[in-house]
Amino acid sequence: MAKFTATILAVTAGAAAAFAPSTSNTVRSTTAVNEFANGLVGGEGPEPMPFRWGDSKSSKNFDPVGFAERSPEWLNWFREAELKHGRQAMLATVGLVVPEFVRIPGAQFSFEAVPNVLDAHDALLDTSMKQILLWVSLAEVMTLAALSNMNEFDRAPGDFSFDPMGLYPTDPAKQEEMKLKELKNGRLAMVAIGGMIHGAIVSGHGFPYL
């Protein structure tokens, strides 16, 4: 139980770090090295992609649809959306696994009432789901001002200045490293949550969906 608790705390800290403030300038210091997507982190990845067409066989500057070239004025919005969905997916992967082991107090949340985590949505549609919708809507409304002024001020995509644990480093190089880690883990989580849900549906079992 101690190990499980430590794991949850570590994941929670990682989620908090996901909302740490970014640099105050959307054009990064790496622009001189990597002009792709106005120098936003994420295009310099060395991961091999052997089936990618063209000369490059890595994930560097991977943009097969050409969003960065066709809509440069929307790059900040694209990155904001990617970070938001990545953060949600990272939290979702934890939220899908944790209830398999621990439930919050309340008969309606018990293992007897909701034996399968995927059934929680329909089972709690008239109670908890409405509360979740309310809080999510409130969070969206509170961020409208920041999103509306994305290209008017020096706010970087995904920067809500929320770092209660002080995990965001002060060194610029470390900041870029943390932002890259968040981006890649978010991308992985977006793919993973889809696989986890479909694994649970196909297998009919909880974690590890076998």
Side-chain angles (χ1 to χ4, degrees), residues 78-93 182-198:
F78 294 154
R79 176 50 55 86
E80 181 87 21
E82 182 177 21
L83 286 172
K84 178 178 286 189
H85 285 84
R87 290 165 177 173
Q88 292 172 339
M90 286 188 282
L91 292 173
T93 54
E182 177 191 14
L183 187 65
K184 289 190 174 183
N185 280 280
R187 291 170 175 173
L188 176 61
M190 286 188 280
V191 177
I193 190 62
M196 292 166 67
I197 291 175
H198 286 83

Side-chain angles (χ1 to χ4, degrees), residues 17 20-21 23 163 166-179:
T23 56
D163 185 22
L167 299 176
Y168 195 62
T170 56
D171 180 67
K174 294 295 183 180
Q175 291 176 354
E176 296 295 309
E177 182 180 350
M178 176 170 280
K179 284 185 287 186

Side-chain angles (χ1 to χ4, degrees), residues 76-151:
N76 286 342
W77 291 91
F78 294 154
R79 176 50 55 86
E80 181 87 21
E82 182 177 21
L83 286 172
K84 178 178 286 189
H85 285 84
R87 290 165 177 173
Q88 292 172 339
M90 286 188 282
L91 292 173
T93 54
V94 178
L96 193 64
V97 174
V98 171
E100 299 282 0
F101 304 95
V102 179
R103 298 289 176 89
I104 60 177
Q108 69 271 33
F109 308 117
S110 66
F111 289 98
E112 292 75 18
V114 188
N116 191 326
V117 175
L118 288 183
D119 295 333
H121 179 275
D122 294 339
L124 304 171
L125 192 60
D126 292 328
T127 54
S128 301
M129 290 298 110
K130 291 183 179 179
Q131 295 181 33
I132 292 175
L133 178 61
L134 174 63
W135 287 109
V136 169
S137 300
L138 179 62
E140 290 292 330
V141 170
M142 292 176 64
T143 60
L144 283 178
L147 294 176
S148 298
N149 294 310
M150 173 126 25
N151 295 321

Side-chain angles (χ1 to χ4, degrees), residues 20-41:
S22 305
T23 56
S24 60
N25 198 329
T26 56
V27 180
R28 308 295 191 261
S29 59
T30 55
T31 304
V33 179
N34 179 19
E35 293 290 345
F36 178 75
N38 289 344
L40 291 171
V41 298

